[in-house]
């Protein structure tokens, strides 16, 4: 299975001239999710945050011409434990009452290994800091070789919550928030 996924990824990244220019994609919200995990005193806490909007332009011939702008709906984020969800949305963590979204905008995208390195700026609680994400792009199983009409993008990275003033509950939750993002995009 992993071999098929890798072959599919290589095919998407290297297949040809069908896209000699940047192409606009839109987000399939129903098939997209931003997962996150934070270490707590008891066990790792996992949650999901919906994507409010996304503006995605990909150029497979010149990665540096690609651009991504995403807004997450922090106010609708959820964790498995209701009290953890409320703590996360509280004024001492995400402060969603005043900052209902988390925004990311790429500043550079470049190929790296079998994927890409996406560098950008993320704004959480009104504070903007650099963020680097590792990305991989896959075609759906069974799609025609070289097809880029529908793609799945997996991104991973780490946010250090103290850098954004999200310092609440330090005895219960660690500083590193590990991101596991899966989005499906569809060519406009």
């Amino acid at each position: 299975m992993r071999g098929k996924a890798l072959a599919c990824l290589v095919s998407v990244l290297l297949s040809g001239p069908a896209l000699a220019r940047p192409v606009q994609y839109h987000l399939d919200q129903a098939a997209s999710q931003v997962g996150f995990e934070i270490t707590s005193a008891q066990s790792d806490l996992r949650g999901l945050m919906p994507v409010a909007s996304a503006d995605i332009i990909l150029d497979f011939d010149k990665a540096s011409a690609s651009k991504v702008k995403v807004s997450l709906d922090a106010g609708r984020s959820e964790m498995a434990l209701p009290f953890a969800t409320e703590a996360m949305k509280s004024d001492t963590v995400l402060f969603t009452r005043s900052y209902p979204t988390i925004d990311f905008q790429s500043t550079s995208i470049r190929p790296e290994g079998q994927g890409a390195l996406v560098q950008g700026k993320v704004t959480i609680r009104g504070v903007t800091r650099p963020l680097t994400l590792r990305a991989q792009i896959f075609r759906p199983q069974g799609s025609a070789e070289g097809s880029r009409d529908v793609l799945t993008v997996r991104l991973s990275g780490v946010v250090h919550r103290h850098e954004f003033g999200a310092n609440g509950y330090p005895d219960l939750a660690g500083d590193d928030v590990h991101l596991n993002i899966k989005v499906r995009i569809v060519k406009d």
Side-chain angles (χ1 to χ4, degrees):
M1 178 71 174
R2 183 177 164 98
K4 281 186 178 181
L6 185 58
C8 179
L9 173 65
V10 170
S11 171
V12 167
L13 293 176
L14 299 179
S15 62
L19 285 182
R21 58 180 170 63
V23 174
Q24 181 82 37
Y25 284 84
H26 68 270
L27 181 75
D28 177 348
Q29 285 185 316
S32 302
Q33 64 183 13
V34 176
F36 57 90
E37 183 176 315
I38 189 164
T39 302
S40 79
Q42 304 300 319
S43 64
D44 290 345
L45 298 172
R46 291 180 179 83
L48 295 174
M49 192 172 294
V51 179
S53 64
D55 186 16
I56 303 162
I57 298 172
L58 298 180
D59 188 328
F60 290 93
D61 295 323
K62 184 178 176 189
S64 63
S66 299
K67 297 177 182 173
V68 176
K69 185 176 182 182
V70 177
S71 183
L72 306 179
D73 189 345
R76 290 185 35 225
S77 57
E78 293 184 0
M79 298 182 82
L81 303 170
F83 72 88
T85 298
E86 291 310 311
M88 176 184 59
K89 294 178 183 182
S90 74
D91 295 357
T92 61
V93 184
L94 289 180
F95 199 5
T96 59
R97 192 166 31 102
S98 293
Y99 303 100
T101 64
I102 294 175
D103 301 301
F104 175 82
Q105 185 162 353
S106 65
T107 55
S108 74
I109 299 175
R110 64 179 169 83
E112 182 181 81
Q114 297 297 319
L117 199 62
V118 180
Q119 294 179 310
K121 295 183 179 193
V122 64
T123 302
I124 302 171
R125 293 176 50 104
V127 177
T128 302
R129 298 272 189 258
L131 176 63
T132 299
L133 300 169
R134 298 197 180 285
Q136 292 184 305
I137 300 175
F138 302 91
R139 283 185 293 111
Q141 269 191 321
S143 61
E145 187 169 331
S147 172
R148 295 179 179 151
D149 292 339
V150 178
L151 301 170
T152 297
V153 182
R154 292 197 173 270
L155 300 126
S156 61
V158 177
V159 171
H160 308 290
R161 65 189 188 104
H162 78 274
E163 294 179 350
F164 301 91
N167 298 320
Y169 307 96
D171 295 341
L172 300 175
D175 184 48
D176 295 345
V177 180
H178 297 269
L179 304 173
N180 181 13
I181 303 163
K182 182 191 112 193
V183 294
R184 179 176 294 157
I185 56 176
V186 180
K187 185 176 167 184
D188 283 345

